[in-house]
């Protein structure tokens, strides 16, 4: 037996262990303490960099004027910098970097935005459900088929297609190319194309990226310079008196009145009369960031962040029109605003501008620590639209400071920051407490007797007396 057990003082147990067994116990105590030390030290350091320091900066941002009241940002430029270091050891800025604990390397994506106040929230009332139409003019109709080449969908493509590489797998490999048919959306004057690629099998075209002209599965990449115009046609405007632009989506409706939701004042038609047909009000046209989901047979529509409200003659577009004429007409009609006196309801966008051409960060640190979620890739795709690809610019809510025009952020939450600071303080503190408790516990239960034996005092008994009694009994034998 490697140990001898004695029972004394109310059956308390004492184990006199062989040196080898006790040595294992000492090593166990040492390993627990060392492990906690090794874990808590880098954890404390990483928490300080990943949570504590950014968290304290967010709290100090209150002094710089950042608040949780959002404004609107419009992307005006999205550019890629080939080298993230302007000079050795001096990094340039990036809108979103993966892994905050290290410096960005390689290319950096920089997004610039214009910052403005929110527009009007407007409710359209007493609308005719049968006269409500939606036209998608950017090739991303939710019902539009997406051709995935890795699945063999690209073997018979015909027309003009915009192809993008799918999300990268955790190993960094591209999964597939996804192509959308823009033949009905774009009218292009193509000058130079690469040699065509035959997409007759799943692997042949799985890396397509860019604008392609395809003829029955033979796709040639279009090289600049080329000129494309939106060709979104057959937009129904017959007997419509309201037109809403939401990016490249056009809504047309026939309603009796429009009401400002803050003041509950009627802002259209009010007493407005058209010039060509005095018995009819002028057509209301405006840009709105959001149209809340419209149930079938709904007679009321809710719009948020509306601006550039203008008036046109009721027969300005005729029965049908196209996206090019709509955009041009809206620009020309800015001289006839909806609210020319107070410029309060759906005001011109320049009236809402706070400052322009500023840097956009995903958060105050301009980085994230979730590599596997590919947050930066999704961030660039959703908020990096600057209009260069013939689609409307990205418009979204953001946070700004009137006292700091250097940058705005997409994410800002004081509650989340408090939670992160608590975690940053609790994790290393808990590990340190566990280390100290282990040390105290080991010193209380492991002892060395007068005969240089190690022993455990596991239940609070008088170990020394028991050992002396054992020694006397051994001598008597």
């Amino acid at each position: 037996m490697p140990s001898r057990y004695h029972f004394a003082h109310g059956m308390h147990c004492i184990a006199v262990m062989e040196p080898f067994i006790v040595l294992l116990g000492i090593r166990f105590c040492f390993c627990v303490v060392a492990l906690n030390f090794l874990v808590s030290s880098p954890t404390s350091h990483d928490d300080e960099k990943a949570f504590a320091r950014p968290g304290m900066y967010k709290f100090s941002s209150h002094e710089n004027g950042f608040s949780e009241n959002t404004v609107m940002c419009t992307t005006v430029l999205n550019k890629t910098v080939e080298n993230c270091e302007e000079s050795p050891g001096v990094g340039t800025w990036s809108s979103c970097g993966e892994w905050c604990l290290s410096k960005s390397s390689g290319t950096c994506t920089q997004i610039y935005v214009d910052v403005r106040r929110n527009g009007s929230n407007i409710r359209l009332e007493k609308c005719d459900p049968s006269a409500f139409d939606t036209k998608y003019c950017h090739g991303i109709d939710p019902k539009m088929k997406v051709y995935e080449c890795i699945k063999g969908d690209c073997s018979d493509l015909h027309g003009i297609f915009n192809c993008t590489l799918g999300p990268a797998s955790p190993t960094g490999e591209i999964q597939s190319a996804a192509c959308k048919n823009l033949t009905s959306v774009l009218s292009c004057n193509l000058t130079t194309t690469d040699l065509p690629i035959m997409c007759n099998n799943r692997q042949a075209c799985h890396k397509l990226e860019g604008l392609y002209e395809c003829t029955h599965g033979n796709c040639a990449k279009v090289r600049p310079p080329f000129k494309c115009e939106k060709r979104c046609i057959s937009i129904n405007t017959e007997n419509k008196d309201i037109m809403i632009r939401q990016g490249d989506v056009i809504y047309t409706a026939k309603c009796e009145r429009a009401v400002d939701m803050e003041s509950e004042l009627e802002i259209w038609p009010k007493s407005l009369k058209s010039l060509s047909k005095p018995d009819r009000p002028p057509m209301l046209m405006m840009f709105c960031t959001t149209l809340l989901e419209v149930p079938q047979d709904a007679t009321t529509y809710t719009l948020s962040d509306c601006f550039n409200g203008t008036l046109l003659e009721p027969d300005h577009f005729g029965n049908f029109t196209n996206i090019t004429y709509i955009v041009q007409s809206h620009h020309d009609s800015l001289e006839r605003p909806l609210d020319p006196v107070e410029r309060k309801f759906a005001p011109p966008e320049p009236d809402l501008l706070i400052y322009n051409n500023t840097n956009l960060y995903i958060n105050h640190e301009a980085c994230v620590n979730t590599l596997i979620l590919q947050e930066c890739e999704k961030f660039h795709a959703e908020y990096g639209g600057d209009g260069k690809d013939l689609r409307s610019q990205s418009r979204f809510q953001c946070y700004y400071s009137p006292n700091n025009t250097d940058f705005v952020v997409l994410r800002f939450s004081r509650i989340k920051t408090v939670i992160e600071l608590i975690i940053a303080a609790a994790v290393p503190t808990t590990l340190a407490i566990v280390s100290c408790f282990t040390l105290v516990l080991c010193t209380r239960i492991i002892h060395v007797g007068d005969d240089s034996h190690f022993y455990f005092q596991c239940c609070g008994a008088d170990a020394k007396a028991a050992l002396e009694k054992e020694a006397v009994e051994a001598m008597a034998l």
Side-chain angles (χ1 to χ4, degrees), residues 108-419:
C108 290
T109 300
Q110 300 177 341
I111 299 177
Y112 296 84
V113 295
D114 285 349
V115 184
R116 62 173 176 82
R117 296 186 300 275
N118 292 277
S120 304
N121 296 325
I122 295 175
R123 184 174 61 250
L124 305 180
E125 299 179 347
K126 300 181 180 179
C127 301
D128 183 359
S130 62
F132 183 83
D133 290 318
T134 304
K135 184 71 172 182
Y136 296 90
C137 291
H138 53 6
I140 57 170
D141 185 337
K143 299 180 181 179
M144 173 179 283
K145 177 177 175 59
V146 177
Y147 298 85
E148 298 186 43
C149 297
I150 199 68
K151 296 181 179 180
D153 296 342
C154 302
S155 60
D156 197 32
L157 298 183
H158 189 76
I160 299 175
F161 287 82
N162 182 38
C163 300
T164 56
L165 292 177
S169 63
T171 59
E173 298 177 356
I174 300 300
Q175 294 180 343
S176 175
C179 299
K180 298 175 183 177
N181 191 347
L182 303 184
T183 307
S184 62
V185 178
L186 297 179
S187 175
C188 298
N189 179 18
L190 308 179
T191 56
T192 306
T193 59
D194 290 346
L195 293 175
I197 304 173
M198 295 182 62
C199 300
N200 54 357
N201 61 68
R202 298 186 178 187
Q203 296 295 329
C205 296
H206 75 285
K207 291 187 177 181
L208 298 183
E209 185 176 22
L211 192 66
Y212 286 82
E213 183 181 29
C214 299
T215 304
H216 300 296
N218 295 329
C219 296
K221 186 171 185 177
V222 180
R223 292 292 181 183
F226 59 86
K227 183 179 180 181
C228 292
E229 294 181 351
K230 293 178 182 178
R231 199 183 68 174
C232 188
I233 58 177
S234 301
I235 301 174
N236 187 3
T237 54
E238 184 179 5
N239 295 325
K240 306 295 178 68
D241 47 24
I242 292 180
M243 179 178 290
I244 308 299
R245 293 178 58 197
Q246 181 188 352
D248 291 316
V249 183
I250 307 298
Y251 301 99
T252 53
K254 183 175 179 61
C255 304
E256 292 187 10
R257 64 197 297 255
V259 177
D260 176 70
M261 296 179 62
E262 278 72 28
S263 62
E264 292 296 330
L265 295 176
E266 180 180 311
I267 59 176
W268 180 93
K270 212 173 179 180
S271 57
L272 299 173
K273 302 294 182 181
S274 63
L275 301 177
S276 59
K277 296 183 178 181
D279 58 326
R280 294 181 58 185
M283 184 177 194
L284 172 61
M285 187 176 186
M286 54 188 172
F287 199 111
C288 297
T289 301
T290 306
L291 169 63
L292 298 186
E293 186 176 350
V294 180
Q296 190 175 6
D297 299 330
T299 59
T300 300
Y301 309 133
T302 302
L303 310 167
S304 66
D305 185 38
C306 296
F307 56 94
N308 284 346
T310 63
L311 302 175
L312 299 95
E313 292 303 297
D315 55 355
H316 179 84
F317 293 111
N319 294 337
F320 294 94
T321 187
N322 58 72
I323 184 63
T324 303
Y325 189 52
I326 287 176
V327 173
Q328 185 61 45
S329 298
H330 198 184
H331 180 270
D332 294 340
S333 65
L334 290 175
E335 298 179 356
R336 190 183 177 187
L338 169 65
D339 186 14
V341 179
E342 297 184 6
R343 301 170 75 92
K344 179 180 178 181
F345 306 118
E349 189 171 18
D351 291 3
L352 301 172
L353 189 65
I354 300 173
Y355 46 79
N356 58 7
N357 205 36
T358 190
N359 303 349
L360 172 68
Y361 297 161
I362 188 170
N363 51 35
H364 278 82
E365 302 81 57
C367 59
V368 293
N369 290 313
T370 52
L371 293 172
I372 195 171
L373 298 180
Q374 300 175 343
E375 284 192 81
C376 285
E377 182 180 335
K378 297 174 183 178
F379 167 78
H380 295 146
E382 184 172 355
Y383 304 104
D386 58 2
K388 289 187 295 187
D389 58 355
L390 302 179
R391 292 184 295 176
S392 287
Q393 298 163 288
S394 299
R395 288 181 167 87
F396 48 91
Q397 293 182 332
C398 59
Y399 301 90
Y400 89 112
S401 168
N403 304 323
N404 186 352
T405 61
D406 294 336
F407 68 95
V408 295
V409 297
L410 180 69
R411 303 174 182 173
F412 180 62
S413 173
R414 294 189 182 279
I415 295 178
K416 183 179 179 182
T417 301
V418 171
I419 295 175

